[in-house]
Amino acid sequence: GQQVMQIPQYQHVQEGEDFTTYCNSSTTLSNIQWYKQRPGGHPVFLIQLVKSGEVKKQKRLTFQFGEAKKNSSLHITATQTTDVGTYFCAGRAGGTSYGKLTFGQGTILTVHP
Amino acid sequence: NAGVTQTPKFQVLKTGQSMTLQCAQDMNHNSMYWYRQDPGMGLRLIYYSASEGTTDKGEVPNGYNVSRLNKREFSLRLESAAPSQTSVYFCASRGWLTEAFFGQGTRLTVV
């Protein structure tokens, strides 16, 4: 079955440093979504990427979708304490499993002031 | 709009007891999901319903059953709770090609 792997599992940074998390799928994805979960909260949608090679930016966050549509990354420039939380990627394969949404294990980001 | 509503928020069960987690969405979404979240394991899909009238197993379906009661409601049942089912459970819903919206979660402890 489809597997979505995410690395690293944990990342500790000093405030102001950059942060990157990577997502890899065992199968080609129709699209990929990124979510953020604050401690004690529920996952909240950040962005969706659909096209091969797509790059999208949200202020200090840059999202990329690989050319083969099997990998993706989230990069945060100059982290702030408000960036603390767990970042998940979620992939949807096409075909008969179109309803299924598989999440990676998540990257837990800690930002030290 | 309430979005996705899960009940209860907290629950303690004894081993062997049964319970049903309720989930309802008011966004007219076709797809609904149940995930469990354990430390270091991310969000693991238990069951999902791509549309009203259908349900499919996810990665970790053993020990659970689901019912898609109508388009709005998707319930998760534990027939005989085990300590390994101690977890945080999230219900989510999603429209066609849109993002998933999550409920607030149910924190379940089985003793």
Side-chain angles (χ1 to χ4, degrees), chain A residues 27-103:
Chain A
T27 59
T28 302
L29 300 171
S30 296
N31 59 50
I32 194 153
Q33 298 176 346
W34 285 92
Y35 294 78
K36 177 183 178 181
Q37 182 181 26
R38 288 198 162 92
H42 61 279
V44 174
F45 174 78
L46 292 176
I47 208 162
Q48 175 170 277
L49 303 171
V50 178
K51 298 176 184 176
S52 169
E54 189 170 13
V55 178
K56 286 189 176 180
K57 293 190 176 185
Q58 287 181 348
K59 297 183 180 178
R60 294 176 295 103
L61 278 61
T62 301
F63 303 85
Q64 292 187 314
F65 200 10
E67 293 290 340
K69 300 184 76 173
K70 296 179 74 172
N71 59 74
S72 181
S73 65
L74 158 60
H75 179 81
I76 302 179
T77 303
T79 54
Q80 300 175 359
T81 54
T82 53
D83 295 325
V84 164
T86 302
Y87 292 84
F88 291 99
C89 61
R92 190 181 67 84
T96 58
S97 59
Y98 71 90
K100 190 176 181 180
L101 190 62
T102 302
F103 281 77

